[in-house]
């Protein structure tokens, strides 16, 4: 799904202020394969309660593998939609998956919009999975060093700058036509 948050002015909001905008997806094998991979990933994530959120999950190699298969199935879905010459609207629906359109109407006829990529987006999930596996690898390598040498072996400021900004780089939201 995708979501819309519309406000007349900038105020604090809750999740209840967001309106679900169901996607109009095709009933094809391409979509079925993707939705099955999505369900597999989220059911696996839910089993890790209380750490059952993308940002707090225990990113084991197994969970990362399921996450990457989920992202790969999304990539294959997009590739199939384009290759098979489907309707433009179906591609746009796929591109709007896991997005939140924030609309703020100011005075007069002004309307400001921003598109937020939710952490559950397949490519954002892939970023988290890869990032955590990279850190696990670095951790294993750093533990081989003495404590004194570990301090200078990694640039912590550079590490803090690694963020999933603009992942994915291109999105769409049907309400923002």
């Amino acid at each position: 799904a995708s979501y819309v948050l519309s406000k007349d002015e900038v105020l604090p909001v809750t999740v209840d202020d967001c309106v679900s905008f169901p996607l109009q997806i095709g009933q094809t094998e391409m979509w079925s394969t993707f939705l099955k991979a999505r369900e597999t990933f989220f059911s696996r994530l839910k089993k890790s309660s209380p750490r059952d959120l993308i940002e707090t999950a225990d990113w084991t190699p197994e969970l990362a593998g399921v996450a990457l298969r989920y992202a790969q199935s999304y990539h294959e879905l997009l590739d199939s939609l384009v290759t098979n010459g489907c309707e433009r609207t179906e591609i746009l629906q796929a591109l709007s998956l896991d997005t939140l359109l924030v609309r703020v109407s100011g005075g007069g006829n002004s309307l400001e919009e921003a598109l937020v990529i939710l952490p559950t987006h397949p490519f954002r999930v892939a970023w988290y999975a890869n990032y955590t596996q990279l850190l696990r690898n670095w951790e294993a390598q750093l533990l081989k060093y003495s404590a004194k040498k570990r301090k200078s072996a990694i640039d912590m400021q550079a590490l803090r700058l690694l963020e999933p900004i603009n992942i994915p780089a291109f999105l769409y939201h049907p309400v923002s036509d």
Side-chain angles (χ1 to χ4, degrees), residues 102-170:
V102 179
R103 305 175 105 183
V104 179
S105 55
N109 294 331
S110 70
L111 176 67
E112 291 187 41
E113 294 183 332
L115 192 58
V116 177
I117 306 162
L118 300 176
T120 53
H121 189 282
F123 291 160
R124 181 67 61 101
V125 167
W127 189 94
Y128 279 109
N130 282 305
Y131 176 73
T132 59
Q133 297 313 292
L134 173 67
L135 292 183
R136 280 182 188 260
N137 182 295
W138 287 355
E139 177 184 39
Q141 290 180 31
L142 285 172
L143 289 174
K144 295 175 185 174
Y145 297 152
S146 67
K148 185 176 181 178
K149 191 172 180 182
R150 273 185 233 152
K151 287 183 177 185
S152 62
I154 198 161
D155 183 346
M156 291 303 291
Q157 183 162 353
L159 181 61
R160 285 185 195 99
L161 294 174
L162 287 176
E163 296 181 37
I165 297 172
N166 292 331
I167 297 174
F170 303 100

Side-chain angles (χ1 to χ4, degrees), residues 41-149:
F41 169 69
F42 283 106
S43 67
R44 180 72 182 268
L45 184 63
K46 287 177 191 173
K47 289 179 184 176
S48 62
S49 182
R51 295 180 62 187
D52 56 354
L53 300 174
I54 303 291
E55 300 88 340
T56 61
D58 180 13
W59 284 96
T60 63
E62 295 79 24
L63 180 59
V66 173
L68 294 176
R69 285 189 290 281
Y70 165 50
Q72 183 62 37
S73 71
Y74 181 67
H75 175 267
E76 290 167 1
L77 170 67
L78 293 176
D79 189 49
S80 295
L81 291 174
V82 171
T83 302
N84 293 329
C86 73
E87 294 290 322
R88 179 179 184 268
T89 55
E90 191 171 2
I91 294 172
L92 294 177
Q93 291 291 312
L95 290 174
S96 66
L97 178 74
D98 292 331
T99 58
L100 168 65
L101 178 65
V102 179
R103 305 175 105 183
V104 179
S105 55
N109 294 331
S110 70
L111 176 67
E112 291 187 41
E113 294 183 332
L115 192 58
V116 177
I117 306 162
L118 300 176
T120 53
H121 189 282
F123 291 160
R124 181 67 61 101
V125 167
W127 189 94
Y128 279 109
N130 282 305
Y131 176 73
T132 59
Q133 297 313 292
L134 173 67
L135 292 183
R136 280 182 188 260
N137 182 295
W138 287 355
E139 177 184 39
Q141 290 180 31
L142 285 172
L143 289 174
K144 295 175 185 174
Y145 297 152
S146 67
K148 185 176 181 178
K149 191 172 180 182

